[in-house]
Amino acid sequence: MLSTEADTVHATICDLILDLAQNGVEASSTLVDITVRHDKSILTVTIKDNGKGMSEAVIQRALDPFYTDGVKHRQRRVGLGLPFLKQLTDMTEGSFAIDSTPNQGTCVTFSLNIDHIDLPPMGNIPSLVLSMMNFEGTYDLSFTRVCGSNQYEIRRSELLDAIGGFETSDDLILARTYLRSLDEEFMNNMHEME
């Protein structure tokens, strides 16, 4: 079976988070704050930035899958990120909210029913975090993963201070190894709590 472009762009929940984080960085944010919270049957993700923000009219256009501003992604004729996310939350009996103020920033919160048959796979969290930390630009990014009292947080600025940059393959390998160790410890603790 051939996959569509949308299938390949948003095959996992991590793909959706990556798309929204990139939107925040491209909106001239100095801080993008992401929290992934696991509860018994609900996964809740909050992505908050302090970038350009949007008016109510722009938010409504951004939820239209056939709308694009034609500036950010000149090669695309559609903007699928938010509409695809909204569709996924509807399909999995979850929720979706977007709060944005021009010149102050945007907060997107969505929840997904973990037990729903239409839930896509989570994806690779360490690869997601490393990808988000490698967008072009001067920004900080905070990523927090929470399940009850089990949690970890990593900031781009702290990781850059620790390893010195993301310019060489050695830097990237070191960062990936560290991020994997954080997430493996989180997952081990989560399994012990079950």
Side-chain angles (χ1 to χ4, degrees), residues 92-116:
T92 60
E93 300 168 1
S95 65
F96 171 84
I98 183 166
D99 182 26
S100 188
T101 303
N103 303 315
Q104 293 186 24
T106 300
C107 181
V108 175
T109 302
F110 65 93
S111 66
L112 303 168
N113 182 343
I114 292 172
D115 299 323
H116 201 282

Side-chain angles (χ1 to χ4, degrees), residues 80-100:
L80 290 175
L82 288 174
F84 196 81
L85 174 59
K86 177 77 172 69
Q87 180 186 34
L88 178 64
T89 59
D90 290 344
M91 286 171 43
T92 60
E93 300 168 1
S95 65
F96 171 84
I98 183 166
D99 182 26
S100 188

Side-chain angles (χ1 to χ4, degrees), residues 107-152:
C107 181
V108 175
T109 302
F110 65 93
S111 66
L112 303 168
N113 182 343
I114 292 172
D115 299 323
H116 201 282
I117 193 168
D118 290 324
L119 185 75
M122 183 69 201
N124 187 308
I125 292 280
S127 292
L128 164 70
V129 176
L130 187 58
S131 294
M132 293 188 301
M133 292 187 174
N134 274 290
F135 294 137
E136 287 185 29
T138 305
Y139 62 94
D140 202 0
L141 184 139
S142 172
F143 179 85
T144 304
R145 193 170 188 192
V146 181
C147 181
S149 60
N150 179 30
Q151 76 172 53
Y152 69 87

Side-chain angles (χ1 to χ4, degrees), residues 53-64 67 69 82 98 100 102 106:
M54 297 179 281
S55 68
E56 188 60 37
V58 172
I59 291 172
Q60 292 308 314
R61 287 195 309 248
L63 294 172
D64 178 350
Y67 169 78
D69 63 8
L82 288 174
I98 183 166
S100 188
T106 300

